[in-house]
PDB file of all heavy atoms in Angstrom:
ATOM      1  N   MET A   1     -57.968   5.137  40.670  1.00 92.00           N
ATOM      2  CA  MET A   1     -58.734   6.355  40.539  1.00 92.00           C
ATOM      3  C   MET A   1     -59.830   6.130  39.500  1.00 92.00           C
ATOM      4  O   MET A   1     -59.561   5.628  38.420  1.00 92.00           O
ATOM      5  CB  MET A   1     -57.807   7.494  40.100  1.00 92.00           C
ATOM      6  CG  MET A   1     -58.522   8.788  39.887  1.00 92.00           C
ATOM      7  SD  MET A   1     -57.427  10.199  39.682  1.00 92.00           S
ATOM      8  CE  MET A   1     -56.999  10.499  41.388  1.00 92.00           C
ATOM      9  N   VAL A   8     -72.682  17.634  27.604  1.00 92.00           N
ATOM     10  CA  VAL A   8     -74.028  17.939  27.115  1.00 92.00           C
ATOM     11  C   VAL A   8     -73.955  19.139  26.191  1.00 92.00           C
ATOM     12  O   VAL A   8     -73.074  20.001  26.322  1.00 92.00           O
ATOM     13  CB  VAL A   8     -75.028  18.213  28.262  1.00 92.00           C
ATOM     14  CG1 VAL A   8     -75.206  17.008  29.148  1.00 92.00           C
ATOM     15  CG2 VAL A   8     -74.610  19.412  29.084  1.00 92.00           C
ATOM     16  N   GLU A   9     -74.898  19.181  25.263  1.00 95.00           N
ATOM     17  CA  GLU A   9     -75.014  20.339  24.389  1.00 95.00           C
ATOM     18  C   GLU A   9     -75.434  21.538  25.236  1.00 95.00           C
ATOM     19  O   GLU A   9     -76.369  21.446  26.032  1.00 95.00           O
ATOM     20  CB  GLU A   9     -76.085  20.119  23.324  1.00 95.00           C
ATOM     21  CG  GLU A   9     -75.703  19.164  22.223  1.00 95.00           C
ATOM     22  CD  GLU A   9     -76.817  19.047  21.204  1.00 95.00           C
ATOM     23  OE1 GLU A   9     -77.110  20.055  20.513  1.00 95.00           O
ATOM     24  OE2 GLU A   9     -77.404  17.955  21.126  1.00 95.00           O
ATOM     25  N   ILE A  10     -74.765  22.632  25.038  1.00 97.00           N
ATOM     26  CA  ILE A  10     -75.117  23.855  25.768  1.00 97.00           C
ATOM     27  C   ILE A  10     -76.414  24.440  25.209  1.00 97.00           C
ATOM     28  O   ILE A  10     -77.250  24.918  25.965  1.00 97.00           O
ATOM     29  CB  ILE A  10     -73.954  24.857  25.724  1.00 97.00           C
ATOM     30  CG1 ILE A  10     -72.803  24.339  26.585  1.00 97.00           C
ATOM     31  CG2 ILE A  10     -74.406  26.252  26.181  1.00 97.00           C
ATOM     32  CD1 ILE A  10     -71.531  25.155  26.516  1.00 97.00           C
ATOM     33  N   SER A  16     -84.532  27.416  25.621  1.00 91.00           N
ATOM     34  CA  SER A  16     -85.270  28.664  25.762  1.00 91.00           C
ATOM     35  C   SER A  16     -84.443  29.887  25.419  1.00 91.00           C
ATOM     36  O   SER A  16     -84.987  30.919  25.009  1.00 91.00           O
ATOM     37  CB  SER A  16     -85.801  28.796  27.187  1.00 91.00           C
ATOM     38  OG  SER A  16     -84.723  28.795  28.112  1.00 91.00           O
ATOM     39  N   THR A  20     -74.002  31.937  25.139  1.00 97.00           N
ATOM     40  CA  THR A  20     -72.700  32.153  24.527  1.00 97.00           C
ATOM     41  C   THR A  20     -71.605  31.570  25.424  1.00 97.00           C
ATOM     42  O   THR A  20     -71.847  31.262  26.603  1.00 97.00           O
ATOM     43  CB  THR A  20     -72.427  33.668  24.366  1.00 97.00           C
ATOM     44  OG1 THR A  20     -72.309  34.253  25.687  1.00 97.00           O
ATOM     45  CG2 THR A  20     -73.527  34.356  23.574  1.00 97.00           C
ATOM     46  N   TRP A  25     -69.153  30.812  30.675  1.00 98.00           N
ATOM     47  CA  TRP A  25     -67.947  31.072  31.469  1.00 98.00           C
ATOM     48  C   TRP A  25     -68.308  31.836  32.747  1.00 98.00           C
ATOM     49  O   TRP A  25     -67.872  31.469  33.841  1.00 98.00           O
ATOM     50  CB  TRP A  25     -66.904  31.838  30.662  1.00 98.00           C
ATOM     51  CG  TRP A  25     -65.710  32.168  31.504  1.00 98.00           C
ATOM     52  CD1 TRP A  25     -65.379  33.389  32.012  1.00 98.00           C
ATOM     53  CD2 TRP A  25     -64.727  31.259  31.980  1.00 98.00           C
ATOM     54  NE1 TRP A  25     -64.246  33.291  32.767  1.00 98.00           N
ATOM     55  CE2 TRP A  25     -63.825  31.991  32.775  1.00 98.00           C
ATOM     56  CE3 TRP A  25     -64.532  29.890  31.836  1.00 98.00           C
ATOM     57  CZ2 TRP A  25     -62.733  31.397  33.402  1.00 98.00           C
ATOM     58  CZ3 TRP A  25     -63.438  29.303  32.458  1.00 98.00           C
ATOM     59  CH2 TRP A  25     -62.555  30.050  33.231  1.00 98.00           C
ATOM     60  N   ALA A  26     -69.113  32.900  32.605  1.00 97.00           N
ATOM     61  CA  ALA A  26     -69.517  33.683  33.771  1.00 97.00           C
ATOM     62  C   ALA A  26     -70.245  32.812  34.780  1.00 97.00           C
ATOM     63  O   ALA A  26     -70.030  32.921  35.981  1.00 97.00           O
ATOM     64  CB  ALA A  26     -70.406  34.855  33.339  1.00 97.00           C
ATOM     65  N   VAL A  39     -75.543  23.501  42.224  1.00 83.00           N
ATOM     66  CA  VAL A  39     -75.398  22.068  42.517  1.00 83.00           C
ATOM     67  C   VAL A  39     -76.290  21.753  43.719  1.00 83.00           C
ATOM     68  O   VAL A  39     -75.891  21.922  44.876  1.00 83.00           O
ATOM     69  CB  VAL A  39     -73.921  21.695  42.826  1.00 83.00           C
ATOM     70  CG1 VAL A  39     -73.777  20.199  43.047  1.00 83.00           C
ATOM     71  CG2 VAL A  39     -73.000  22.160  41.703  1.00 83.00           C
ATOM     72  N   ARG A  43     -74.131  20.992  50.159  1.00 92.00           N
ATOM     73  CA  ARG A  43     -74.689  21.573  51.376  1.00 92.00           C
ATOM     74  C   ARG A  43     -74.001  22.853  51.809  1.00 92.00           C
ATOM     75  O   ARG A  43     -74.583  23.675  52.513  1.00 92.00           O
ATOM     76  CB  ARG A  43     -74.604  20.578  52.532  1.00 92.00           C
ATOM     77  CG  ARG A  43     -75.431  19.335  52.375  1.00 92.00           C
ATOM     78  CD  ARG A  43     -75.363  18.433  53.611  1.00 92.00           C
ATOM     79  NE  ARG A  43     -74.014  17.910  53.853  1.00 92.00           N
ATOM     80  CZ  ARG A  43     -73.201  18.308  54.829  1.00 92.00           C
ATOM     81  NH1 ARG A  43     -73.567  19.230  55.677  1.00 92.00           N
ATOM     82  NH2 ARG A  43     -72.002  17.772  54.982  1.00 92.00           N
ATOM     83  N   CYS A  54     -57.452  32.161  40.558  1.00 98.00           N
ATOM     84  CA  CYS A  54     -57.755  30.979  41.366  1.00 98.00           C
ATOM     85  C   CYS A  54     -58.501  31.388  42.636  1.00 98.00           C
ATOM     86  O   CYS A  54     -58.600  32.565  42.966  1.00 98.00           O
ATOM     87  CB  CYS A  54     -56.482  30.220  41.720  1.00 98.00           C
ATOM     88  SG  CYS A  54     -55.342  31.164  42.750  1.00 98.00           S
ATOM     89  N   SER A  60     -69.127  21.087  51.290  1.00 94.00           N
ATOM     90  CA  SER A  60     -69.707  19.871  51.859  1.00 94.00           C
ATOM     91  C   SER A  60     -70.620  19.289  50.811  1.00 94.00           C
ATOM     92  O   SER A  60     -71.510  19.967  50.299  1.00 94.00           O
ATOM     93  CB  SER A  60     -70.514  20.167  53.125  1.00 94.00           C
ATOM     94  OG  SER A  60     -69.662  20.681  54.125  1.00 94.00           O
ATOM     95  N   ASP A  63     -72.174  13.632  52.847  1.00 84.00           N
ATOM     96  CA  ASP A  63     -71.688  13.650  54.226  1.00 84.00           C
ATOM     97  C   ASP A  63     -70.192  13.910  54.319  1.00 84.00           C
ATOM     98  O   ASP A  63     -69.568  13.678  55.349  1.00 84.00           O
ATOM     99  CB  ASP A  63     -72.044  12.342  54.932  1.00 84.00           C
ATOM    100  CG  ASP A  63     -71.374  11.127  54.287  1.00 84.00           C
ATOM    101  OD1 ASP A  63     -70.789  11.268  53.195  1.00 84.00           O
ATOM    102  OD2 ASP A  63     -71.442  10.045  54.890  1.00 84.00           O
ATOM    103  N   ARG A  82     -58.990  18.762  44.715  1.00 96.00           N
ATOM    104  CA  ARG A  82     -59.259  18.526  46.128  1.00 96.00           C
ATOM    105  C   ARG A  82     -57.941  18.545  46.893  1.00 96.00           C
ATOM    106  O   ARG A  82     -57.013  17.805  46.558  1.00 96.00           O
ATOM    107  CB  ARG A  82     -59.957  17.183  46.321  1.00 96.00           C
ATOM    108  CG  ARG A  82     -61.356  17.230  45.722  1.00 96.00           C
ATOM    109  CD  ARG A  82     -62.379  16.577  46.594  1.00 96.00           C
ATOM    110  NE  ARG A  82     -63.698  16.864  46.066  1.00 96.00           N
ATOM    111  CZ  ARG A  82     -64.585  15.937  45.747  1.00 96.00           C
ATOM    112  NH1 ARG A  82     -64.295  14.664  45.921  1.00 96.00           N
ATOM    113  NH2 ARG A  82     -65.759  16.281  45.296  1.00 96.00           N
ATOM    114  N   ASP A  87     -57.498  13.879  43.609  1.00 95.00           N
ATOM    115  CA  ASP A  87     -58.818  13.992  43.004  1.00 95.00           C
ATOM    116  C   ASP A  87     -58.989  15.374  42.342  1.00 95.00           C
ATOM    117  O   ASP A  87     -58.511  16.384  42.859  1.00 95.00           O
ATOM    118  CB  ASP A  87     -59.913  13.836  44.058  1.00 95.00           C
ATOM    119  CG  ASP A  87     -59.902  12.466  44.717  1.00 95.00           C
ATOM    120  OD1 ASP A  87     -59.111  11.601  44.312  1.00 95.00           O
ATOM    121  OD2 ASP A  87     -60.702  12.281  45.658  1.00 95.00           O
ATOM    122  N   ILE A  89     -61.736  17.735  39.385  1.00 94.00           N
ATOM    123  CA  ILE A  89     -62.900  17.883  38.515  1.00 94.00           C
ATOM    124  C   ILE A  89     -62.555  18.956  37.488  1.00 94.00           C
ATOM    125  O   ILE A  89     -61.976  19.983  37.838  1.00 94.00           O
ATOM    126  CB  ILE A  89     -64.151  18.303  39.307  1.00 94.00           C
ATOM    127  CG1 ILE A  89     -64.502  17.255  40.370  1.00 94.00           C
ATOM    128  CG2 ILE A  89     -65.341  18.529  38.374  1.00 94.00           C
ATOM    129  CD1 ILE A  89     -65.567  17.709  41.363  1.00 94.00           C
ATOM    130  N   VAL A  98     -71.955  19.652  16.786  1.00 93.00           N
ATOM    131  CA  VAL A  98     -73.340  19.996  17.123  1.00 93.00           C
ATOM    132  C   VAL A  98     -73.448  21.344  17.830  1.00 93.00           C
ATOM    133  O   VAL A  98     -74.538  21.759  18.213  1.00 93.00           O
ATOM    134  CB  VAL A  98     -74.004  18.894  17.989  1.00 93.00           C
ATOM    135  CG1 VAL A  98     -74.080  17.592  17.245  1.00 93.00           C
ATOM    136  CG2 VAL A  98     -73.283  18.731  19.313  1.00 93.00           C
ATOM    137  N   LEU A 102     -70.693  21.471  27.142  1.00 96.00           N
ATOM    138  CA  LEU A 102     -70.153  21.621  28.488  1.00 96.00           C
ATOM    139  C   LEU A 102     -69.816  20.229  28.974  1.00 96.00           C
ATOM    140  O   LEU A 102     -70.698  19.356  29.056  1.00 96.00           O
ATOM    141  CB  LEU A 102     -71.157  22.292  29.434  1.00 96.00           C
ATOM    142  CG  LEU A 102     -70.677  22.455  30.877  1.00 96.00           C
ATOM    143  CD1 LEU A 102     -69.402  23.284  30.955  1.00 96.00           C
ATOM    144  CD2 LEU A 102     -71.778  23.094  31.727  1.00 96.00           C
ATOM    145  N   PHE A 110     -60.937   6.374  46.122  1.00 89.00           N
ATOM    146  CA  PHE A 110     -61.678   5.947  47.297  1.00 89.00           C
ATOM    147  C   PHE A 110     -60.675   5.308  48.259  1.00 89.00           C
ATOM    148  O   PHE A 110     -60.130   4.237  47.951  1.00 89.00           O
ATOM    149  CB  PHE A 110     -62.787   4.952  46.929  1.00 89.00           C
ATOM    150  CG  PHE A 110     -63.762   5.511  45.931  1.00 89.00           C
ATOM    151  CD1 PHE A 110     -63.677   5.174  44.585  1.00 89.00           C
ATOM    152  CD2 PHE A 110     -64.767   6.381  46.328  1.00 89.00           C
ATOM    153  CE1 PHE A 110     -64.564   5.686  43.659  1.00 89.00           C
ATOM    154  CE2 PHE A 110     -65.658   6.893  45.410  1.00 89.00           C
ATOM    155  CZ  PHE A 110     -65.560   6.550  44.070  1.00 89.00           C
ATOM    156  N   PRO A 111     -60.408   5.941  49.403  1.00 88.00           N
ATOM    157  CA  PRO A 111     -59.437   5.395  50.338  1.00 88.00           C
ATOM    158  C   PRO A 111     -59.753   3.944  50.704  1.00 88.00           C
ATOM    159  O   PRO A 111     -60.908   3.596  50.962  1.00 88.00           O
ATOM    160  CB  PRO A 111     -59.554   6.305  51.555  1.00 88.00           C
ATOM    161  CG  PRO A 111     -60.095   7.600  51.016  1.00 88.00           C
ATOM    162  CD  PRO A 111     -60.997   7.191  49.876  1.00 88.00           C
ATOM    163  N   GLU A 119     -65.055  -2.870  43.188  1.00 94.00           N
ATOM    164  CA  GLU A 119     -65.592  -1.979  44.219  1.00 94.00           C
ATOM    165  C   GLU A 119     -65.400  -0.510  43.811  1.00 94.00           C
ATOM    166  O   GLU A 119     -66.304   0.314  43.980  1.00 94.00           O
ATOM    167  CB  GLU A 119     -64.922  -2.234  45.570  1.00 94.00           C
ATOM    168  CG  GLU A 119     -65.511  -1.358  46.675  1.00 94.00           C
ATOM    169  CD  GLU A 119     -64.878  -1.574  48.030  1.00 94.00           C
ATOM    170  OE1 GLU A 119     -63.966  -2.412  48.172  1.00 94.00           O
ATOM    171  OE2 GLU A 119     -65.315  -0.892  48.979  1.00 94.00           O
ATOM    172  N   HIS A 121     -65.156   0.648  40.775  1.00 90.00           N
ATOM    173  CA  HIS A 121     -66.091   0.897  39.677  1.00 90.00           C
ATOM    174  C   HIS A 121     -67.514   1.097  40.225  1.00 90.00           C
ATOM    175  O   HIS A 121     -68.225   2.022  39.804  1.00 90.00           O
ATOM    176  CB  HIS A 121     -66.049  -0.257  38.681  1.00 90.00           C
ATOM    177  CG  HIS A 121     -66.934  -0.028  37.502  1.00 90.00           C
ATOM    178  ND1 HIS A 121     -66.636   0.857  36.486  1.00 90.00           N
ATOM    179  CD2 HIS A 121     -68.159  -0.550  37.186  1.00 90.00           C
ATOM    180  CE1 HIS A 121     -67.612   0.856  35.606  1.00 90.00           C
ATOM    181  NE2 HIS A 121     -68.552   0.008  36.010  1.00 90.00           N
ATOM    182  N   GLY A 133     -76.089  14.976  36.919  1.00 81.00           N
ATOM    183  CA  GLY A 133     -77.124  15.927  37.299  1.00 81.00           C
ATOM    184  C   GLY A 133     -76.574  17.328  37.509  1.00 81.00           C
ATOM    185  O   GLY A 133     -77.245  18.328  37.228  1.00 81.00           O
ATOM    186  N   ALA A 134     -75.335  17.417  37.981  1.00 81.00           N
ATOM    187  CA  ALA A 134     -74.705  18.717  38.197  1.00 81.00           C
ATOM    188  C   ALA A 134     -74.501  19.458  36.883  1.00 81.00           C
ATOM    189  O   ALA A 134     -74.580  20.683  36.829  1.00 81.00           O
ATOM    190  CB  ALA A 134     -73.385  18.558  38.940  1.00 81.00           C
ATOM    191  N   ALA A 137     -77.969  20.804  35.982  1.00 86.00           N
ATOM    192  CA  ALA A 137     -78.338  21.872  36.928  1.00 86.00           C
ATOM    193  C   ALA A 137     -77.533  23.136  36.683  1.00 86.00           C
ATOM    194  O   ALA A 137     -78.068  24.252  36.769  1.00 86.00           O
ATOM    195  CB  ALA A 137     -78.151  21.390  38.355  1.00 86.00           C
TER     196      ALA A 137
END
Side-chain angles (χ1 to χ4, degrees):
M1 177 169 282
V8 297
E9 287 182 66
I10 290 174
S16 60
T20 66
W25 176 254
V39 183
R43 295 184 296 107
C54 64
S60 296
D63 62 350
R82 293 222 170 125
D87 298 355
I89 300 169
V98 298
L102 179 59
F110 302 100
E119 182 180 0
H121 183 74

